[in-house]
């Protein structure tokens, strides 16, 4: 319901906006529990406030809303896990992205943009190879 409202607000106030729905990522249980122990010490509950079951439920709900609203989406929850056994390195505390995770998400978003909105795709500058100096030209 909240995501649908956000989409409606975007469409109402920014009619020309190109919207790409990004699902929530997975959660690394062991990292979340370790972080909890580190942060709260003896006060740590040992209970996960976020978990794979809930994150998958939210990811699937986001995909459903994207489909209902006829919007492209990036299924980050699944993409990260499909990256191989090292997917847990995409997080530093089981929930927030590490530098490697940020790079992965950036590539996933850029791929989603290339697929859904090719006219908005950003490419690295051919001379420098840098993204900050985009080689993209305006129409």
């Amino acid at each position: 319901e909240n995501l649908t409202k956000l989409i409606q607000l975007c469409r109402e106030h920014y009619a020309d906006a190109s919207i790409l729905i990004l699902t929530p990522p997975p959660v690394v249980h062991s990292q979340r529990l370790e972080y909890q122990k580190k942060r709260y010490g003896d006060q740590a509950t040992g209970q996960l406030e976020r978990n794979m079951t809930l994150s998958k439920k939210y990811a699937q709900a986001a995909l459903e809303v994207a489909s209902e609203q006829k919007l492209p989406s990036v299924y980050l929850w699944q993409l990260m896990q499909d990256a191989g056994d090292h997917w847990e390195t995409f997080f530093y505390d089981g929930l927030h992205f590490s530098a490697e995770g940020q790079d992965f998400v950036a590539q996933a978003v850029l791929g989603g943009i290339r697929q859904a909105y090719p006219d908005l795709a950003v490419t690295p500058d051919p001379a420098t190879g840098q993204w900050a100096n985009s080689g993209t030209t305006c129409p």
Side-chain angles (χ1 to χ4, degrees):
E1 186 177 310
N2 288 341
L3 183 54
T4 301
K5 286 181 183 178
L6 288 171
I7 293 166
Q8 289 170 346
L9 283 171
C10 285
R11 286 178 167 161
E12 180 182 328
H13 294 283
Y14 307 100
D16 294 333
S18 300
I19 301 171
L20 177 68
I21 302 298
L22 183 66
T23 72
V27 176
V28 183
H29 292 177
S30 59
Q31 287 181 7
R32 284 308 295 157
L33 292 171
E34 185 62 34
Y35 171 79
Q36 194 182 92
K37 287 178 193 174
K38 186 188 289 186
R39 178 154 187 203
Y40 300 107
D42 293 339
Q43 308 257 320
T45 65
Q47 301 284 327
L48 290 167
E49 79 285 6
R50 309 273 172 88
N51 62 55
M52 287 291 277
T53 302
L54 285 177
S55 64
K56 183 176 184 178
K57 181 179 175 181
Y58 283 112
Q60 290 173 330
L63 292 174
E64 187 176 307
V65 169
S67 177
E68 289 169 359
Q69 297 292 319
K70 297 179 178 29
L71 290 171
S73 60
V74 174
Y75 192 9
L76 191 59
W77 192 89
Q78 191 64 56
L79 281 175
M80 290 186 119
Q81 294 175 81
D82 289 347
D85 293 338
H86 73 287
W87 73 269
E88 294 180 353
T89 64
F90 294 151
F91 302 90
Y92 67 86
D93 65 356
L95 185 63
H96 299 99
F97 301 123
S98 64
E100 186 180 355
Q102 291 173 27
D103 288 342
F104 183 90
V105 173
Q107 292 303 315
V109 169
L110 289 169
I113 292 169
R114 269 192 307 276
Q115 185 176 14
Y117 305 108
D119 55 321
L120 297 178
V122 176
T123 59
D125 182 270
T128 66
Q130 299 294 313
W131 290 91
N133 300 333
S134 176
T136 307
T137 58
C138 296

